[in-house]
Amino acid sequence: METTTHTSDSIITRSYEEYYQVILTYITYRITHRYEAEDLTQDVFVRLLDYKQMLRPDTVKYFLFTIARNIVTDYIRRYYKKQEIDSYIYDTISTSTNETEEKIIGDDLMTMERTRLAAMPEQRRLVYTLNRYEDKSSAEIAEEMQLSRRTVENHLFIGRREMREFFRKCI
């Protein structure tokens, strides 16, 4: 019994020294990730220890390649299953949002905007309101208020800048 264990240990040691690089190349060729291939190669030799009692010098090479093939197949199966699960989760899970909180924040910002809007000069406030809330263009506002388009654009520019600065201070 002692000699069988000693013999199988020496077979494993010799096969590790002789076939490590060959098995590593075999696995790397199939999965292309060097660091994972090194781990899988180690797994091949660890699994070889499970067959310690059955090893013979003339069959160890075939054992190694069979184990390596099975480990690579398992790895690829797990990899694609993980990809499938990740894809399913990505497609089906809705992003978590707190709609109530977002609504409250939006309402607060709207109230603050209206407060700041009330402090603007009348003509600028009217131009900003028509553009922001009624979605009118500069040309439409200019025609409606009988102002030049350039004056309307100037009021919009100043009004938006004031609003940005106001929100920057508030937030």
Side-chain angles (χ1 to χ4, degrees), residues 81-162:
K81 188 53 120 174
K82 183 183 179 303
Q83 294 295 326
E84 185 180 322
I85 290 169
D86 289 349
S87 175
Y88 174 78
I89 289 172
Y90 180 76
D91 291 342
T92 59
I93 265 189
S94 64
T95 57
S96 71
T97 60
N98 188 343
E99 292 177 15
T100 307
E101 184 179 352
E102 290 175 3
K103 176 130 176 59
I104 291 170
I105 291 171
D107 291 345
D108 287 347
L109 290 173
M110 186 66 85
T111 303
M112 290 168 41
E113 182 181 26
R114 291 200 187 273
T115 302
R116 179 63 186 121
L117 193 57
M120 285 184 185
E122 185 178 343
Q123 197 171 30
R124 189 173 309 145
R125 177 177 57 238
L126 187 56
V127 169
Y128 185 89
T129 303
L130 290 173
N131 180 263
R132 170 87 164 94
Y133 298 111
E134 295 182 23
D135 205 26
K136 292 190 176 183
S137 68
S138 299
E140 292 171 331
I141 296 170
E143 187 178 315
E144 184 177 322
M145 294 181 66
Q146 296 178 353
L147 297 171
S148 75
R149 193 167 148 246
R150 189 73 183 135
T151 303
V152 170
E153 288 173 354
N154 191 35
H155 280 301
L156 276 175
F157 176 78
I158 294 170
R160 288 176 182 157
R161 186 182 64 204
E162 286 178 9

Side-chain angles (χ1 to χ4, degrees), residues 19 39 42 47 78 98 141:
Y19 295 111
D39 289 344
Q42 290 296 326
R47 192 163 307 164
R78 279 192 310 272
N98 188 343
I141 296 170

Side-chain angles (χ1 to χ4, degrees), residues 12-49:
I12 291 171
T13 303
R14 275 194 320 248
S15 65
Y16 184 83
E17 292 168 354
E18 187 175 343
Y19 295 111
Y20 177 83
Q21 195 60 47
V22 175
I23 297 294
L24 178 62
T25 304
Y26 173 83
I27 293 174
T28 303
Y29 178 76
R30 280 156 181 76
I31 66 169
T32 66
H33 297 291
R34 177 73 180 192
Y35 61 95
E36 298 217 5
E38 290 172 356
D39 289 344
L40 293 177
T41 302
Q42 290 296 326
D43 291 345
V44 167
F45 287 98
V46 168
R47 192 163 307 164
L48 186 64
L49 292 171

